[in-house]
Amino acid sequence: MKKMDVIFRQVFFKNLKSKTWLWIVIGPLVLAAVFGGVFWLMNQTNQTSKIGVVTSSPALTSTLKASSDDDQRYISYSSTAAAKRAMADEDLDGVLTISTQPTTHASLIERTDGNGVNQTQLQSVLAQAHTKEVAAQLKLSTTQLQSLFATPQLATTSVSVDKGKLVSRSAKTQKSGAMVGFILGMLIYTFVISYASMMAQEIGTEKGSRIEESILTAITPQAQFLGKLLGILALMAVQMAIYGVVTLAGGLLLQRLPKNPLSSLMTNIDLSGISLNMLLFSLAFFFVGTLTYTVLAALTGSLVANQEQIGQATTPIVMLGMLGYFGALIVAGGTSPILNIASYIPFLSTMMMPVRLGAGQVTAVAGWSALGINLVFLILFTWLTVKFYQTNVLSYSDGGMLKAFKRSWQLQRAARKPKPVKS
């Protein structure tokens, strides 16, 4: 136990002081700060576009003025020349000239260095104004016009099946749950790429430098494996604790600002859809998922013969992580029989199943069943990896990782065969 503790401390403190681990921690925070700053800056610099309207129709003028909002404002001018002078003085971002004879025709002059004009919104407003103009010519009343263009209201309710019963879920709740699952998948993928590579690097470097023989004279392969695994997990725990403190401090700081830059984003999120059960489920899947990938990294790292092959050791991990990540992206927009099956497969379900649970595609029973499958697989996979590790860690093969795995498998089979009893 003391020897395993020595390996744990060596792995933990060596990486804790390294610039690589420091960047692993700071990198996502810097990226989040950049995206947050850009989002805040876009909201701050989003100004109202001013459009000068020149038309001889009072009805069109009133309709356009009534359509003004925070994005676009319509200002009436008596002549095109007056509107162009205002645009030359940078008081307008565009000039809209509307002619009603012989048919309604509109032309727009847009300033390239001004606020952008939303032409889709402009065309919609023109269509409404034209409709009112035609209705006036046909002497249709406001009530008749509303009845003519009235659209039947469609009420939509999202439901999920839970224990044979239909449970209603709002669109915001569904979106919020899917968002939590997606963030979890992104975190798992980020941690997998970072710490699985670190685990493979740890083992591959020791094998490549041929110091593994000296280490294993004082400690068993099992104790070395578990010590390294615990050291990597401790680094993950420290990073998560840092992120938790930063998130809490950032939330408190944003609340003190006069205008919260996340207020517009939070209006589209229903926090009631994020239950305690969902959070516990997400944390459990995060732990099991990252641990499973780290064990896989230990297995592939033990197969390398030199430091040049470390890149080969991380390739299967990156590919599996990408499959799970893209599977989470796809399943967020809808499901299919293949995706349903994939969400129960270890290595993939750690990213896909939280999204499905958050989106209401599966019940809590199905989610915990998938977690149970992953947990059982993790235990068996760790046991099997330890067996292969004690064989691979002192085995060197220049034929590549595949040949190294075949040789390790042969050695394992030979070790399990009963030895003949001497008479």
Side-chain angles (χ1 to χ4, degrees), residues 195-252:
Y195 288 99
S197 299
M198 188 182 296
M199 185 70 163
Q201 185 79 26
E202 280 282 334
I203 299 170
T205 301
E206 291 180 356
K207 284 195 66 177
S209 59
R210 295 298 196 271
I211 64 171
E212 199 68 69
E213 291 88 346
S214 301
I215 295 175
L216 293 181
T217 58
I219 190 172
T220 63
Q222 295 92 329
Q224 186 197 34
F225 172 83
L226 294 175
K228 289 183 180 295
L229 188 62
L230 290 175
I232 296 296
L233 289 179
L235 289 170
M236 290 185 192
V238 172
Q239 183 174 356
M240 290 302 297
I242 293 174
Y243 285 177
V245 172
V246 171
T247 301
L248 181 61
L252 294 175

Side-chain angles (χ1 to χ4, degrees), residues 15-27 194 198:
N15 288 286
L16 189 67
K17 299 174 183 178
S18 68
K19 294 181 180 179
T20 302
W21 185 80
L22 189 63
W23 175 246
I24 289 174
V25 175
I26 296 178
S194 301
M198 188 182 296

